[in-house]
Amino acid sequence: MSQRIDDYINTLLLNEVSVSELDRAKEILFSSDELMQILNSPSVSPEEKSRVVSEIFSSSVKPVVLGLAEKCRAESICEVIEAYSAVLDKKNRIARATVVCVNEPNAQQLRGIEEFICKEENAGSAKIKVVKDESLIGGFIIQIGNKQFDRSLKTKITRIKEKIVDDARKASSVDTGNIISILKSEIRDYDFETSGEEIGTVTGVGDGIASIHGLDHVMYGEIVIFDCGIKGMVQDIKKHSVGCILFGSDSEIHEGTRVKRTHKNAGVPVGDAFIGRIVNALGEPIDGKGEIAADEYRLVENTAPSIVDRKSVSEPLQTGILAIDSMFPIGRGQRELIIGDRQTGKTSIALDTILNQKGKDCICIYNAIGQKASTVAKLVSTLEKNGAMEYTIVVCSTASDSASLQYISPYSATAIAEYFMHKGKDCLIVYDDLSKHAVAYRALSLLLERSPGREAYPGDVFYLHSRLLERSSRLSDELGGGSITALPIIETLAGDVSAYIPTNVISITDGQIFLESDLFFSGQRPAVNVGLSVSRVGGAAQTKAMKKAAGSLRVDLAQFREMEVFTQFSSDLDEETKAGLSYGKGLMELLKQPLGKPLSLAQQVITLVCAIGKKFADVPINEIKKLQGELLEYFEDKHIGIINEIETMKDLDDKLKADILKAFDDFRKVNNG
């Protein structure tokens, strides 16, 4: 309707119609029910309506009345008159304002208010409408267009209350002396706001989205506050309105609700006190352990570090999972995608990686997006049981949360991680999972009436994840050398890695760990597909010990998988082929690893040296895992020097390799004896 009103106003301006003529037309319209029925009826032809209008109305008003009648909205003449009157007043330098007060101002006060309005709007005179409102207690509010000058006692008292509550929250207690000092200070320095505040009005609300008119200078991504206290974030800017996503229930928001700007983009509180806590997407604690003292406030949307500010990924981040650390190493500052169908162990890999960071000076952040609250509670219980919450932060937006909170959640988690990164610390962040994040963004975009693209996702869904994951990096030494290592999780359908969201995230990340359903159901856990998994950082993120120990492991496994496929229907195999199959099956068995049992670097190196050295060749498949456990215990008891050397030197020379193989032979003698 806004665009049509603009058209009608332009027509009236061209015809130089006076407001009095429009008022007369309005009076005629609403005095005759028969005339209203004729103009509003879709069954009456345009020609008949034109004839009736020509007989009753002047030629200058006729185009507007006919235009409204054609749309069956003759009642909208009131909107046109009001808008046209405002345009004429602006043209004649007449300011319009509303004064809300408890008692009607006297002549002197009105003159003062008029002078203020004329000065503010650079006008020659002012039209002032006075509205009484006893809830203001005292003072008054001046509204000029969508700008508000609040000089009421009610607002002043509210701000004092908020300041007292905020101070009490920061101090985690109520200090009577502090409250009295705040009150004295506010009374002594009592003053009203002199700058205008832009006020918007809700024109429509539903499904967590609000349309707001009047916020002409609002920024994209700015936080706005509704009268009921609910916060929202501007996500869509049009000519006459803005679209806002809500961070709370929309039950208290209705058409006409007033909205204030905060002049701040969305952000979250951050600080060391967040370690060990569970927070929501807005950084508010949800674990029942009280308020969190924040050190600073960081924007959820930050630009990624530039190439100059980054350092190459060269330091490993051990997951404790043999299959990954040996073949698809992850470095500090890398982004490694974990991808696979549901229930194939994606979260388990991320959880094991978090558990393995114990004592390694790495802050872990687990971001649950659209997960069931019970699933998150179970994961937190596992972290607490293993002592991992001492260095972990959980940022949670469950399936019961709105799409708005699920959308902002990973950006909030990254902002918290950036706080630690810029302090020179290493961080690991797990996004579980970005498939649900994309679905939440798709829901918001469709509600904001953006054009759908492939699979109904909006065109900027690639940018959604690229601007998030690009923030994970390793900073240069000049900036402290901190890092954020990202493990985004993507859920596929029937193993389809060529779908829209999987291909998007694969192209953004530095490699992927693909979990295969067939491997998972055959008992191979973690069910890592060696062929489709890759780390684009490669050996640069491995210790020398691991690189030398792994040797030809990946090639051997690839040859085994190929050989297994070709020989599955063969009955007569030569000895060399049988030995190759037996060796491959042994390697696959060694790569099996129970949940919550990450291996140290030394344990992985010892296992790999013995496996590549064919020491498990004569061991029955069903006894390999048991023998591996006993072997590692034997090294802990009898050869702690070898373990310490691997952990300290992080290298593997020929002598150390020979010592490991000799120790294995001694172990077998003792074991068999």
Side-chain angles (χ1 to χ4, degrees):
M1 185 62 196
S2 297
Q3 185 59 51
R4 291 203 296 274
I5 286 178
D6 287 347
D7 294 338
Y8 299 145
I9 288 170
N10 290 334
T11 303
L12 292 168
L13 287 170
L14 285 171
N15 292 326
E16 296 183 348
V17 181
S18 66
V19 175
S20 58
E21 282 186 83
L22 283 175
D23 283 331
R24 177 63 184 151
K26 173 184 165 186
E27 190 180 324
I28 293 169
L29 272 172
F30 289 97
S31 64
S32 172
D33 292 338
E34 184 183 356
L35 179 59
M36 287 289 285
Q37 286 174 3
I38 291 170
L39 294 178
N40 282 339
S41 174
S43 59
V44 177
S45 68
E47 292 79 11
E48 180 62 20
K49 287 180 182 179
S50 178
R51 187 186 64 78
V52 171
V53 169
S54 298
E55 289 177 0
I56 299 173
F57 298 97
S58 65
S59 58
S60 58
V61 178
K62 176 183 170 183
V64 176
V65 178
L66 273 178
L68 292 166
E70 285 171 9
K71 303 294 181 183
C72 302
R73 286 285 304 275
E75 295 88 347
S76 298
I77 188 72
C78 299
E79 293 179 53
V80 174
I81 292 171
E82 187 62 30
Y84 181 60
S85 179
V87 170
L88 285 181
D89 284 345
K90 191 173 182 181
K91 192 176 178 182
N92 297 322
R93 294 185 64 239
I94 301 172
R96 296 173 137 216
T98 301
V99 175
V100 185
C101 54
V102 177
N103 299 310
E104 193 165 336
N106 56 37
Q108 186 180 350
Q109 289 171 331
L110 272 175
R111 276 197 303 273
I113 291 171
E114 186 174 358
E115 285 175 10
F116 172 79
I117 293 167
C118 290
K119 183 181 177 183
E120 191 66 32
E121 291 293 289
N122 192 24
S125 60
K127 288 181 180 178
I128 301 173
K129 180 182 176 184
V130 178
V131 177
K132 288 187 178 182
D133 184 354
E134 293 184 359
S135 68
L136 296 184
I137 305 172
F140 54 88
I141 298 172
I142 302 174
Q143 295 172 350
I144 308 172
N146 59 355
K147 200 186 291 183
Q148 176 179 282
F149 298 84
D150 196 337
R151 302 184 176 187
S152 66
L153 283 174
K154 179 184 177 182
T155 301
K156 191 67 178 176
I157 291 168
T158 303
R159 285 176 184 167
I160 293 171
K161 178 186 173 185
E162 287 173 354
K163 190 171 182 181
I164 291 170
V165 171
D166 191 47
D167 282 10
R169 187 188 291 118
K170 287 177 181 175
S172 301
S173 63
V174 179
D175 185 355
T176 309
N178 193 33
I179 292 172
I180 293 170
S181 68
I182 290 172
L183 289 171
K184 284 181 178 178
S185 171
E186 290 293 332
I187 292 168
R188 185 177 63 250
D189 304 326
Y190 182 73
D191 195 11
F192 290 106
E193 292 291 330
T194 55
S195 59
E197 191 173 17
E198 201 169 42
I199 301 294
T201 307
V202 173
T203 56
V205 62
D207 298 312
I209 302 291
S211 294
I212 305 165
H213 174 73
L215 298 181
D216 296 337
H217 302 92
V218 75
M219 299 179 290
Y220 181 86
E222 183 178 333
I223 294 295
V224 295
I225 301 179
F226 295 80
D227 271 353
C228 57
I230 299 293
K231 291 182 179 179
M233 183 167 72
V234 175
Q235 281 290 288
D236 196 42
I237 297 178
K238 297 176 182 175
K239 184 177 180 181
H240 296 286
S241 64
V242 296
C244 175
I245 61 175
L246 305 176
F247 296 144
S249 172
D250 59 12
S251 58
E252 296 179 49
I253 300 172
H254 50 80
E255 191 172 332
T257 298
R258 285 148 50 85
V259 191
K260 291 183 181 179
R261 289 181 61 190
T262 62
H263 302 277
K264 289 198 304 183
N265 278 18
V268 288
V270 296
D272 294 332
F274 279 78
I275 297 174
R277 300 297 298 271
I278 307 169
V279 297
N280 64 13
L282 301 176
E284 299 164 343
I286 55 173
D287 52 6
K289 296 180 181 178
E291 295 291 331
I292 304 174
D295 295 334
E296 59 181 81
Y297 181 89
R298 285 192 71 88
L299 297 179
V300 296
E301 294 271 14
N302 273 312
T303 53
S306 66
I307 299 297
V308 178
D309 295 335
R310 297 177 186 233
K311 187 179 179 182
S312 62
V313 176
S314 57
E315 192 177 334
L317 184 136
Q318 297 281 338
T319 65
I321 301 169
L322 185 60
I324 295 172
D325 289 342
S326 59
M327 293 182 285
F328 320 107
I330 299 171
R332 293 179 189 255
Q334 187 176 342
R335 301 154 301 178
E336 185 79 1
L337 173 64
I338 302 173
I339 185 170
D341 287 2
R342 68 183 300 271
Q343 298 296 320
T344 51
K346 300 185 296 298
T347 303
S348 299
I349 286 178
L351 183 59
D352 275 356
T353 306
I354 292 173
L355 296 180
N356 196 52
Q357 303 314 306
K358 192 169 187 177
K360 296 181 180 177
D361 195 26
C362 181
I363 306 296
C364 298
I365 298 170
Y366 176 78
N367 177 215
I369 310 166
Q371 304 291 326
K372 290 190 294 184
S374 58
T375 304
V376 179
K378 187 178 177 183
L379 183 135
V380 170
S381 175
T382 304
L383 291 173
E384 287 175 340
K385 190 165 60 178
N386 290 276
M389 281 303 288
E390 295 171 9
Y391 55 87
T392 303
I393 304 166
V394 177
V395 181
C396 184
S397 57
T398 62
S400 60
D401 286 333
S402 65
S404 307
L405 291 173
Q406 291 182 40
Y407 159 67
I408 203 174
S409 175
Y411 299 102
S412 300
T414 308
I416 294 172
E418 283 176 333
Y419 165 78
F420 294 103
M421 177 178 74
H422 288 291
K423 288 183 72 176
K425 295 187 178 181
D426 292 313
C427 296
L428 168 69
I429 185 165
V430 176
Y431 302 107
D432 192 7
D433 65 61
L434 291 186
S435 302
K436 292 184 178 69
H437 182 232
V439 168
Y441 184 63
R442 176 172 63 183
L444 292 176
S445 295
L446 293 174
L447 289 168
L448 288 167
E449 299 180 1
R450 291 178 183 164
S451 300
R454 179 178 167 188
E455 296 177 29
Y457 289 104
D460 63 340
V461 74
F462 180 90
Y463 180 57
L464 174 80
H465 289 148
S466 65
R467 74 176 190 266
L468 171 70
L469 294 171
E470 278 297 321
R471 290 161 69 179
S472 298
S473 62
R474 189 179 179 199
L475 295 180
S476 63
D477 293 334
E478 291 78 12
L479 294 175
S483 69
I484 297 177
T485 307
L487 292 181
I489 295 175
I490 287 288
E491 185 178 293
T492 56
L493 295 172
D496 183 15
V497 293
S498 64
Y500 190 29
I501 301 302
T503 51
N504 277 354
V505 183
I506 285 171
S507 65
I508 296 165
T509 50
D510 307 312
Q512 69 273 350
I513 296 164
F514 181 68
L515 304 181
E516 192 176 352
S517 299
D518 291 344
L519 284 173
F520 183 83
F521 295 127
S522 68
Q524 186 68 35
R525 300 175 188 178
V528 179
N529 181 309
V530 178
L532 292 177
S533 301
V534 66
S535 172
R536 297 189 185 96
V537 173
Q542 270 183 319
T543 59
K544 290 180 180 178
M546 179 61 76
K547 200 183 297 185
K548 291 176 181 177
S552 60
L553 177 64
R554 189 171 182 182
V555 176
D556 292 346
L557 283 173
Q559 288 176 344
F560 161 69
R561 290 293 297 272
E562 192 175 339
M563 193 185 300
E564 190 179 37
V565 171
F566 278 109
T567 60
Q568 59 183 328
F569 300 113
S570 303
S571 56
D572 187 20
L573 302 174
D574 60 87
E575 291 303 317
E576 187 178 345
T577 305
K578 285 180 181 177
L581 286 171
S582 177
Y583 171 61
K585 287 177 182 175
L587 288 179
M588 293 294 285
E589 192 68 23
L590 280 172
L591 292 178
K592 289 181 182 178
Q593 201 167 324
L595 177 62
K597 300 290 182 183
L599 298 175
S600 67
L601 174 64
Q603 290 173 326
Q604 291 180 346
V605 169
I606 290 166
T607 301
L608 287 171
V609 168
C610 296
I612 302 295
K614 306 287 179 74
K615 292 296 183 181
F616 290 96
D618 59 339
V619 181
I621 295 295
N622 58 352
E623 293 181 15
I624 284 181
K625 289 304 292 180
K626 180 185 175 186
L627 187 69
Q628 180 195 14
E630 292 172 351
L631 172 68
L632 296 177
E633 285 179 10
Y634 174 77
F635 269 85
E636 289 280 352
D637 292 339
K638 305 293 184 183
H639 296 281
I640 194 69
I642 292 177
I643 290 176
N644 290 337
E645 188 175 348
I646 295 171
E647 294 287 356
T648 306
M649 303 301 294
K650 296 186 178 0
D651 202 351
L652 184 68
D653 54 24
D654 292 338
K655 181 182 180 303
L656 186 56
K657 189 182 287 189
D659 290 344
I660 292 171
L661 294 173
K662 183 178 182 302
F664 181 91
D665 292 335
D666 295 341
F667 161 72
R668 288 307 301 272
K669 286 176 186 175
V670 172
N671 203 38
N672 292 332

